[in-house]
Each structure stands twice: as structure tokens, then as C-alpha cells.
Amino acid sequence: EVSKNAAQLANYKDVWIFAEQRTGKVQNVAFELLAAGKELAEDRGCKLCAVLLGYKVSHLAQELINHGADLVYVLDDPNLGEYEADTYTDALDKLIQKHKPEIILAGATAIGRSFIARTAARVHTGLTADCTGLSIDKESFLLHQTRPAFGGNIMATIVTPHHRPQMATVRPGVFQQGEPDPNRKGKTLFEQLEIVTRELELIRSIRKEDEEGDIAEAEVIVAGGRGMMKGENFVLLEELAKLLGGSVGASRPCVDAGWVPVSRQVGQTGKTVAPKLYLAFGISGAIQHLAGISAADYIIAVNRDERAPIFGIANLGIVGDVMDVLPALIDVVKKTKAGN
């Protein structure tokens, strides 16, 4: 174990967030992390910095500043044009060694999960995955990293007292992004580093596109649980979602049963969502599912069991059979849209 003494720890400062971008577009999770990081930076009395890796992405720096970054480290390099874990790891490792950040946050996305852990191992520090809460302890000034444990039945708070940086990943949708300020001023630092690349050639990149889009980005989600009885009944949810301009979600049992793909799963073991409207049909409300929808603005739940836990957080609850309520609701929406 490589531990650092107090004098060495004092050399580490500032809060960094990894500003994930794909095909030249900053992902929403980066803006969410900037909102969370702003509070941490204020509590530590330090700068909030963003790290932007890619090729021909320098123009994105101002967007990060608009969302709260005081400083943006830009590493614009042809070797970073397409994501590759070892190359990204080497780039971030070199930036850490050069500038010594105290805290680094990244999205728990396919990209974030695959290389942030490698980076933590490279710099001999800890990493807390899938955090749902972050705060600075007022006495120790350590980053308190809170995440679900034991299947979501307890919440564990983890600290990294002897190593730096303190690193954590956060699922998209856990924090709410702030409103951008187009007049905000910040600093951009363009880095020139020699990146170690693997001896491989990328032939082509194929991105799997979900026809309904990413539910983590949806403003309206129509979700089903075991109360839907069988996979074929999800066509009703699809019809309602289409009428409302939303996406279809599901609880874990529906995914385990093979009714819907895992990309539709909502909850701690699926995707954390923050839609404006969340409609839950036949979902009882296990703690893992409730944690995944807690950021929704408005929740409507339909369930036969009046004691279902989901009614405890729903803004509107309907006790009834989903197979009776769903067709009636679809009919009402259709008539409303037709102006009748």
C-alpha cells in the first residue's frame, strides 16, 4: 500500500470533474457533476476544474465554463479522437501527476467506469463507485462518498483519508445540472502531453442506437413492473409512451424475465432517472427502484395493492388493475390530443 503523509496530502488541491464527450458533444452527466462539484469546491475553498479529453474538442471548453467550471484542462490530441481505455488512462494519469487534484469525479457511464478505475489503480488511490451522495466533512475536510450497499438495503459512507486524489463515480441523473450562464468567465489551459498509446488500430466504431433513446435523458417515462403480467402487455406502455413523447422503462423483474432489454431498466441496478413525469404501472416499489426515480419531478403510480411502497413517494396514486387503467388512460390521451 502506498500511503501519503500529511505534507504530501497538502500538495493536492481543487475539485476535478471528467467532462465526458462523445462525438464532440458534452454528455449531460458532466454538467450534473459540475453542479455537484461546485458545492464541494465552495466547501473546500478551491477551484472547480473540468478535464476535457478528445480531438477537435477545444470549442467545448466554454460550455463547461458556462456550467460552472473555473478552469478547463483541455487535452486535444488525435490519439484521443476515439475512446480507448488505456490511452485515456495514460492521459488522465499524466494530468494528475502534473497538477495534483484533491478530488476527481466522473460519470458512472460505459466510458467512465472502464477507465477511471484503471486511473485510480495507476495513481495508487481509492475509488468509490456509483455514489448517490457527496459532501465535505466540516472537521476532517475529507470527501464523504455515499453509495448503496448490500443490494441497496443500507447506505455506506466511504472516505479516502491517506491517499490522493479522492475519486468517485456518479450515475447519470443523480444530481441535477444547473442553468448555464453564457456570460460566465473562466480559464482554459491547453495541455501538451506525450500520451502512451496501445499498438492497435481502430477499424471502425459501431454505436448501438436504442430506437426509443436513452431513458436517462427522457423527460417522460412510462414504466412497467411485474403487475404487467407478461411481456406482450408492454405494447400498451409503448403506445402510451409514444402518445406522451416519452420512453418505456421497467423494473428489474421485467428485465430478468426477458420482457424488456436491460437498457430499459430503472433503479439502482439499472439507470437512475430524473424525468419531469414518471408513470409507474404495476411497480410495487422496491427500495432499489425508488432510489432510481427519487429525482423525478412528478410520479403517478398505478397498483392493485394500496399498501405498495411506491405510493409513499407518488404524487398521485391510483389503486386498480393496470390492465383496466392503461387502456382507459390511452383512450383519454388519444381523445385529448384529437381535441375531443
Side-chain angles (χ1 to χ4, degrees):
E1 183 183 1
V2 180
S3 183
K4 296 178 174 65
N5 59 39
Q8 288 176 305
L9 294 181
N11 292 328
Y12 289 77
K13 60 183 179 180
D14 294 339
V15 175
W16 285 15
I17 71 102
F18 168 62
E20 181 176 330
Q21 60 81 24
R22 299 190 187 190
T23 62
K25 182 177 185 293
V26 177
Q27 301 299 288
N28 283 340
V29 68
F31 302 137
E32 294 165 10
L33 292 176
L34 283 170
K38 182 178 181 181
E39 294 186 18
L40 301 178
E42 288 175 353
D43 288 343
R44 288 298 289 126
C46 66
K47 293 194 296 289
L48 173 61
C49 309
V51 175
L52 181 61
L53 307 179
Y55 183 47
K56 296 182 178 179
V57 295
S58 301
H59 63 285
L60 301 176
Q62 185 58 48
E63 194 174 2
L64 297 168
I65 292 170
N66 293 348
H67 278 84
D70 300 309
L71 171 64
V72 181
Y73 294 103
V74 178
L75 190 48
D76 201 301
D77 189 296
N79 293 312
L80 298 170
E82 286 284 350
Y83 169 75
E84 195 282 311
D86 286 343
T87 309
Y88 266 53
T89 297
D90 190 69
L92 185 56
D93 175 31
K94 284 184 166 65
L95 286 174
I96 292 171
Q97 302 296 349
K98 182 177 180 180
H99 297 289
K100 294 183 168 50
E102 183 178 12
I103 294 169
I104 299 179
L105 308 177
T109 62
I111 288 178
R113 282 187 169 124
S114 66
F115 94 97
I116 291 295
R118 296 179 189 222
T119 306
R122 184 84 67 88
V123 299
H124 303 289
T125 192
L127 171 70
T128 304
D130 288 349
C131 291
T132 56
L134 298 166
S135 63
I136 299 295
D137 182 74
K138 288 181 169 52
E139 294 183 4
S140 66
F141 298 109
L142 291 173
L143 176 66
H144 278 198
Q145 307 155 73
T146 302
R147 73 175 308 278
F150 294 99
N153 293 311
I154 66 170
M155 301 300 285
T157 297
I158 299 166
V159 295
T160 310
H162 306 303
H163 301 76
R164 292 293 181 274
Q166 301 164 89
M167 297 179 66
T169 60
V170 180
R171 287 190 184 188
V174 169
F175 295 108
Q176 191 164 358
Q177 60 179 282
E179 288 295 324
D181 178 3
N183 299 315
R184 195 171 183 280
K185 304 298 182 183
K187 185 177 180 181
T188 302
L189 184 60
F190 295 94
E191 295 284 345
Q192 298 291 330
L193 300 174
E194 186 176 342
I195 304 170
V196 176
T197 59
R198 291 182 63 182
E199 293 183 359
L200 56 84
E201 179 185 356
L202 179 67
I203 305 300
R204 63 175 173 155
S205 178
I206 303 174
R207 290 178 172 82
K208 182 179 179 181
E209 298 293 339
D210 191 321
E211 291 181 358
E212 297 180 66
D214 186 355
I215 58 171
E217 305 287 337
E219 293 191 349
V220 176
I221 296 176
V222 180
R226 276 182 290 200
M228 294 301 296
M229 305 303 293
K230 55 185 178 180
E232 289 81 353
N233 291 334
F234 267 71
V235 295
L236 292 171
L237 299 182
E238 292 166 4
E239 184 176 1
L240 181 58
K242 187 174 181 179
L243 288 169
L244 297 175
S247 296
V248 174
S251 61
R252 180 170 179 172
C254 300
V255 174
D256 291 343
W259 296 351
V260 291
V262 69
S263 61
R264 302 283 100 200
Q265 185 178 326
V266 176
Q268 283 181 342
T269 52
K271 292 185 178 181
T272 301
V273 296
K276 291 181 179 178
L277 175 63
Y278 187 85
L279 297 102
F281 294 92
I283 297 174
S284 61
I287 188 171
Q288 295 89 341
H289 190 86
L290 298 185
I293 65 173
S294 61
D297 289 347
Y298 200 88
I299 298 173
I300 298 175
V302 181
N303 201 290
R304 285 183 298 183
D305 182 4
E306 63 183 20
R307 295 169 297 179
I310 198 162
F311 287 136
I313 68 166
N315 299 93
L316 174 64
I318 301 172
V319 179
D321 192 317
V322 295
M323 299 313 296
D324 293 330
V325 177
L326 249 178
L329 182 57
I330 289 171
D331 188 50
V332 168
V333 174
K334 282 181 176 178
K335 289 179 178 178
T336 301
K337 289 178 75 70
N340 296 327

